[in-house]
Amino acid sequence: MATRAWVTTHRLYGHCIRRRFPSLKPSLRPFPVKPFSPFNNSQKLSNSSAMEPPAAVLPKEMTHSMDATTEDEYASQAKLLQEFTNLSSIKKAWTFKCNNGNSSQIMFSISQSNLIGNKKKTNILSAFISNQSNHSVSFQWSPFPIEMTGVSTIVPSPSGLKLLVVKNGENGSPVLLEIWGPSQLLKEIPIPQSVHGSIYTDGWFEGISWNYDESLIAYVAEEPSPPKPTFDGFGYKKGASDKDCGIWKGQGDWEEDWGETYSGKRKPALFVLKVNSGVVRAIEGIEESLSVGQVVWAPSSSTSSQKYLVFVGWSSKNGPRQVPRKLGIKYCYNRPCALYAVSAPFQELGNVTVDLATAINLTQGISSAFFPRFSPDGKLLVFLSAKSAVDSGAHCATDSLHKMDWPTDGKPYPDISIVDVAPVVMCPEDGGFPGLYISSFLDQPWLSDGCTVILSSTWGCNEVILAIDVIRCRISQISPPVSASSWNVLALVGDNILAVSSSPIDPPQIKYGCFQEQKQSISSVGWNWLDVSSPLSYSEKAKSLLSSLHRSIMKIPVKNASENLSKGARKPFEAIFVSHSNSQTDESCEDSQRNGPCNPLILILHGGPHSVSVSSYSKSLAFLSALGFNLLLVNYRGSLGFGEEALQSLPGKVGSQDVGDVLAALDYVIERGLADPSKVAVLGGSHGGFLTTHLIGQAPDRFVAACVRNPVCNLSLMVGTTDIPDWCYVEAYGSKGKTFFTEAPLMEHLSVLYSKSPISHLSKVKTPTLFLLGAQDLRVPVSNGLQYARALKEKGVDVKVIVFPNDVHAIERPQSDFESFLNIGVWFKKYCT
């Protein structure tokens, strides 16, 4: 997820807070009584003790099959893991300007795991910011957070005077929309399933947008389910009503969904709510094959009263033959998409013909366009593109930023010229900008100059904050360039930035970036970053354990680099080394031998493969460090953040190039006396599990223990069961795999897929291996891990398998995540010490 002291006071704050939302009204009660809260009806206050189990939690029935020593180890580690699990994390922030112009209110969305309830609680915590005359800033925090029970998301209006609260129904109950004003609930609008299903709040299809006069709200929701056939005791029944007795519903035709995490989500569709009347209309004129998302209102025009919506559309036609088939979209930016424009409903235009009754494609000249954002003056539309991923077939690659001039009459047309703002970087200069790698975009990313956007992007092993001048096409890093931490922007407060900074050894810290106006350009030297003291607390034990750790970023030379490789693929890759104080990790010591024992080492391998391990805080990895392990997080070639040439060097070479890079990184730390070769374990999930199982097969004498989470072990099995079969082809064959991807693989395809898989090296494996599997995983179905685990058991390898029946690919439900890392800790302690 640069210091100057903050002035922080803990008291209820004044009039500019009161006019926002009633839950923030100061009184003797920190929060109002039942009728006045937009977040829940029970007025339950959140506190950390509600999250804590009464004693160290052991996984169900675990104590039935372990000896006393093992049970003690579980109890001890469970208690330690709770120290890290209870920490809250900041997910999002919204800012509101106060009347006096010198102050702002901020609402933070805070997430915290609730182990007993097996869910993540979301709380709202508010703060009042005032700029002081001495160029400092004062933060005054509300005394308590408030829990958002039953709330899916909240969306403030452009003026900040209204708040939309979305409550998605469960088990067929209606969606509930609430409109809140400064002091009360203004309107409550139930929307039955016959109109639409749940509103998307997933961060990808999600799009909820108020129009400029706050009379209409556009949003994306699941299209209503088609009617199902009805039967009674005499057979098929025509015209049956749900109120009829003695009938039952059939299943009807099966329809594709969007795969992993979208089970049952067939088609995101576009709707508009008229706020005053509560009437909802579906947008017409959108091609049936399109799923839509990320909707925004186009700027109004002084010459026309027509209103338009701009949205992203993904076609359900995929593959080289454009067959109707929804391939998995989670984590997959290689799905073609485009920006579309269409007329909005509820327009009273008399006899004037409504333009764009049918949606038009605004970005026909580019294979990918998403995250549309209009400039404050409405003259520019900027958007991101993952065209490198779409064109190459890699599930994620280097992004690019583009712009188009919005028509002055406000009427969009299909052949608007597209201009590159930040093109794809193929091979960055040493230390230079590596290109854009962006997973989210602020709704309001603009500084007051109207031409600079602020966003977070991956730069090597770090997340950084960038300022991009879309007029002059200039890019500046504005987070501290020498920071060993990762920075993420939360929100803009005028021309100031609210951000979060963290590292593997530093829990998240709120930062406030102030632009120094005397500087001539927006760059890192023009920003002063201040620490913010916040109520988010971390246990003294956790802080003490983290204080003894060090981290460094290592540059690992490529071994035996062929001249046939691109320049970018021959450059060193990077790894993050997290160590204890008895390990020498600074650059001055890396080239010399050190004496004395080393802590056991865990290799941490990210998935993807086109993902990245960044130098940000992870409670799970902090727990492993606290157990006494050193960590080496390897960003092998193919990772994000290092330029397109290095990334594209991996497809077609999985199981060889990436395996070689990991072994080179391990050799690098061993040769420098930073790791004991007899005490090395390896941990990876998804493609990281693919690498882990390859390593214990190709280098069976180098690892004393292994753990895999939903690993890819057999591509020839996965290709017929996964939601992304095209991934198997591209990673095994390279970009040419796109052209002959098929749902019916030929025998020669299956042979290649098998040869690239860890299972082809299974006969050499002897490393004790822990398997953590999600039974609802659609990305790497549980059969992949189970087949490999059973084969290891068959040959006498020490194996342990835990299957989480309700978890998907990420295994992130609180109890499952807790049990996973508890078992990882115990497993590695057993074999590494």
Side-chain angles (χ1 to χ4, degrees):
M1 65 212 317
T3 64
R4 191 154 115 196
W6 279 75
V7 178
T8 306
T9 58
H10 296 269
R11 66 175 184 265
L12 290 171
Y13 32 84
H15 69 279
C16 72
I17 299 294
R18 286 202 300 269
R19 76 175 185 82
R20 292 297 172 194
F21 305 112
S23 62
L24 303 169
K25 181 178 179 181
S27 77
L28 294 178
R29 298 181 302 271
F31 296 100
V33 292
K34 184 174 179 179
F36 292 101
S37 171
F39 303 127
N40 65 67
N41 293 325
S42 64
Q43 291 300 291
K44 191 191 306 179
L45 295 182
S46 168
N47 59 70
S48 61
S49 64
M51 306 296 180
E52 298 177 4
V57 174
L58 295 184
K60 279 190 303 185
E61 301 179 358
M62 185 169 287
T63 58
H64 294 179
S65 59
M66 64 176 70
D67 57 37
T69 302
T70 306
E71 186 173 355
D72 288 344
E73 183 68 27
Y74 269 97
S76 173
Q77 289 200 27
K79 187 175 181 180
L80 177 61
L81 182 53
Q82 284 175 331
E83 296 284 344
F84 296 95
T85 300
N86 291 335
L87 304 184
S88 299
S89 60
I90 301 170
K91 296 300 184 184
K92 196 171 183 179
W94 301 266
T95 62
F96 307 88
K97 201 70 177 174
C98 295
N99 287 333
N100 60 16
N102 200 40
S103 303
S104 299
Q105 178 191 341
I106 301 179
M107 294 168 54
F108 293 89
S109 175
I110 310 294
S111 177
Q112 187 175 19
S113 291
N114 176 7
L115 286 174
I116 298 299
N118 198 21
K119 63 181 180 180
K120 291 182 179 178
K121 288 180 177 287
T122 299
N123 308 314
I124 292 293
L125 182 63
S126 296
F128 173 66
I129 308 176
S130 58
N131 297 316
Q132 307 297 309
S133 57
N134 61 351
H135 303 291
S136 64
V137 180
S138 171
F139 261 69
Q140 301 173 30
W141 295 90
S142 59
F144 302 103
I146 185 167
E147 183 183 347
M148 296 174 64
T149 303
V151 175
S152 302
T153 192
I154 61 175
V155 184
S157 67
S159 69
L161 296 176
K162 294 178 182 176
L163 182 74
L164 170 67
V165 176
V166 176
K167 298 181 177 181
N168 280 322
E170 297 181 357
N171 302 319
S173 59
V175 172
L176 186 63
L177 301 181
E178 297 176 348
I179 308 294
W180 286 80
S183 61
Q184 62 185 355
L185 176 64
L186 302 177
K187 191 174 289 291
E188 195 172 49
I189 306 165
I191 303 175
Q193 294 285 319
S194 58
V195 176
H196 62 65
S198 295
I199 292 176
Y200 280 79
T201 58
D202 61 317
W204 187 239
F205 289 117
E206 177 180 357
I208 303 175
S209 179
W210 292 78
N211 73 338
Y212 295 90
D213 65 12
E214 303 183 359
S215 62
L216 302 171
I217 301 174
Y219 59 87
V220 178
E222 179 69 6
E223 188 178 72
S225 300
K228 295 182 177 181
T230 305
F231 303 90
D232 60 14
F234 299 97
Y236 178 73
K237 184 174 178 62
K238 288 184 179 181
S241 167
D242 289 340
K243 297 179 180 179
D244 292 349
C245 298
I247 63 170
W248 54 279
K249 294 282 188 180
Q251 293 302 311
D253 293 349
W254 176 77
E255 291 189 57
E256 297 270 8
D257 57 32
W258 282 104
E260 173 67 16
T261 74
Y262 290 103
S263 180
K265 299 291 188 181
R266 302 171 299 100
K267 186 179 179 184
L270 191 53
F271 299 84
V272 172
L273 165 71
K274 191 169 187 178
V275 174
N276 288 340
S277 66
V279 174
V280 174
R281 286 188 187 172
I283 301 298
E284 299 178 351
I286 298 176
E287 185 180 336
E288 183 64 27
S289 65
L290 288 183
S291 289
V292 309
Q294 303 177 17
V295 62
V296 295
W297 289 90
S300 300
S301 168
S302 58
T303 62
S304 173
S305 59
Q306 292 191 33
K307 298 181 179 69
Y308 300 97
L309 294 165
V310 172
F311 63 91
V312 182
W314 293 264
S315 176
S316 61
K317 296 176 181 178
N318 278 293
R321 298 162 189 81
Q322 290 295 286
V323 175
R325 160 76 152 101
K326 292 187 178 81
L327 294 169
I329 204 168
K330 184 72 171 180
Y331 317 118
C332 293
Y333 294 82
N334 57 328
R335 306 303 175 215
C337 57
L339 299 186
Y340 293 82
V342 69
S343 289
F346 303 113
Q347 302 195 53
E348 299 174 2
L349 303 175
N351 296 323
V352 178
T353 302
V354 176
D355 292 334
L356 298 190
T358 300
I360 61 167
N361 187 333
L362 300 173
T363 54
Q364 296 182 37
I366 192 168
S367 58
S368 169
F370 55 95
F371 288 158
R373 298 292 185 267
F374 282 98
S375 60
D377 61 9
K379 294 181 179 180
L380 286 177
L381 174 61
V382 300
F383 62 92
L384 280 171
S385 174
K387 61 180 181 179
S388 289
V390 173
D391 297 346
S392 69
H395 70 91
C396 195
T398 312
D399 296 323
S400 52
L401 185 69
H402 307 268
K403 67 180 179 181
M404 61 174 66
D405 293 322
W406 195 248
T408 55
D409 62 1
K411 296 180 180 179
Y413 52 90
D415 53 349
I416 302 177
S417 177
I418 296 173
V419 177
D420 294 347
V421 174
V424 171
V425 175
M426 299 304 295
C427 180
E429 297 297 323
D430 291 345
F433 174 62
L436 294 176
Y437 304 89
I438 298 171
S439 58
S440 62
F441 211 136
L442 293 179
D443 292 334
Q444 302 296 332
W446 302 90
L447 295 183
S448 62
D449 62 5
C451 64
T452 302
V453 296
I454 304 296
L455 46 78
S456 302
S457 181
T458 302
W459 188 318
C461 288
N462 291 329
E463 288 284 330
V464 301
I465 300 177
L466 302 176
I468 301 181
D469 184 330
V470 300
I471 302 298
R472 300 172 184 84
C473 301
R474 295 176 182 171
I475 302 170
S476 302
Q477 178 184 341
I478 60 174
S479 53
V482 295
S483 174
S485 301
S486 283
W487 292 66
N488 283 282
V489 60
L490 288 172
L492 301 186
V493 187
D495 279 343
N496 300 321
I497 299 174
L498 193 67
V500 170
S501 173
S502 73
S503 81
I505 64 174
D506 299 303
Q509 167 72 44
I510 300 175
K511 303 284 187 175
Y512 194 82
C514 302
F515 179 58
Q516 298 172 306
E517 296 181 5
Q518 67 271 23
K519 301 293 182 180
Q520 295 300 310
S521 63
I522 295 176
S523 64
S524 59
V525 296
W527 291 82
N528 184 28
W529 291 96
L530 309 175
D531 291 331
V532 178
S533 178
S534 80
L536 298 182
S537 60
Y538 306 101
S539 75
E540 291 301 320
K541 183 172 184 179
K543 288 191 287 187
S544 174
L545 290 167
L546 292 173
S547 67
S548 65
L549 301 177
H550 302 272
R551 86 288 201 186
S552 63
I553 295 176
M554 299 175 166
K555 293 187 179 295
I556 315 295
V558 175
K559 286 189 174 181
N560 305 317
S562 166
E563 288 300 319
N564 295 327
L565 290 174
S566 64
K567 179 182 177 182
R570 295 197 302 271
K571 285 193 167 189
F573 57 96
E574 293 183 357
I576 303 168
F577 187 49
V578 181
S579 61
H580 290 257
S581 55
N582 64 341
S583 296
Q584 307 212 16
T585 59
D586 57 281
E587 289 295 326
S588 64
C589 298
E590 282 188 5
D591 292 325
S592 61
Q593 294 290 324
R594 65 174 298 277
N595 297 316
C598 296
N599 291 54
L601 177 70
I602 304 175
L603 288 181
I604 308 290
L605 307 177
H606 67 71
H610 310 301
S611 180
V612 64
S613 293
V614 294
S615 58
S616 60
Y617 181 77
S618 161
K619 63 178 179 62
S620 303
L621 299 188
F623 162 69
L624 294 178
S625 294
L627 289 174
F629 294 102
N630 291 345
L631 309 178
L632 185 64
L633 290 72
V634 183
N635 284 318
Y636 46 85
R637 285 171 295 164
S639 302
L640 303 178
F642 300 92
E644 188 67 4
E645 286 184 357
L647 186 146
Q648 293 293 348
S649 70
L650 181 56
K653 301 174 186 174
V654 292
S656 54
Q657 178 178 294
D658 44 3
V659 169
D661 285 353
V662 174
L663 291 174
L666 178 57
D667 290 339
Y668 187 88
V669 292
I670 290 174
E671 289 166 3
R672 284 154 182 79
L674 302 173
D676 182 342
S678 67
K679 295 181 179 180
V680 180
V682 59
L683 165 64
S686 194
H687 186 85
F690 173 89
L691 277 174
T692 297
T693 45
H694 256 302
L695 286 162
I696 61 177
Q698 294 190 43
D701 297 318
R702 304 204 62 177
F703 303 96
V704 297
C707 175
V708 289
R709 291 162 57 96
N710 287 325
V712 178
C713 301
N714 185 350
L715 289 167
S716 61
L717 172 63
M718 178 179 167
V719 72
T721 56
T722 179
D723 64 331
I724 54 167
D726 59 319
W727 177 90
C728 300
Y729 276 88
V730 170
E731 296 303 335
Y733 285 94
S735 289
K736 64 182 181 181
K738 281 182 59 182
T739 61
F740 48 81
F741 154 58
T742 172
E743 299 285 356
L746 301 176
M747 183 61 71
E748 63 189 76
H749 297 166
L750 294 175
S751 178
V752 170
L753 292 172
Y754 186 89
S755 69
K756 298 275 186 177
S757 299
I759 200 167
S760 66
H761 300 279
L762 184 135
S763 63
K764 296 172 284 184
V765 176
K766 55 186 178 183
T767 306
T769 305
L770 169 65
F771 290 80
L772 303 166
L773 309 175
Q776 304 304 315
D777 187 353
L778 301 179
R779 182 59 41 92
V780 185
V782 68
S783 56
N784 228 264
L786 285 177
Q787 181 195 42
Y788 191 90
R790 287 164 173 159
L792 287 185
K793 283 184 177 181
E794 189 175 66
K795 66 188 299 294
V797 177
D798 192 2
V799 169
K800 179 173 181 174
V801 179
I802 301 176
V803 177
F804 300 96
N806 298 311
D807 277 84
V808 294
H809 191 56
I811 313 183
E812 60 185 3
R813 299 168 79 240
Q815 291 178 3
S816 304
D817 180 67
F818 187 92
E819 186 175 353
S820 291
F821 279 91
L822 174 58
N823 276 277
I824 291 170
V826 172
W827 188 259
F828 285 165
K829 275 280 192 178
K830 177 181 178 180
Y831 291 100
C832 294
T833 58

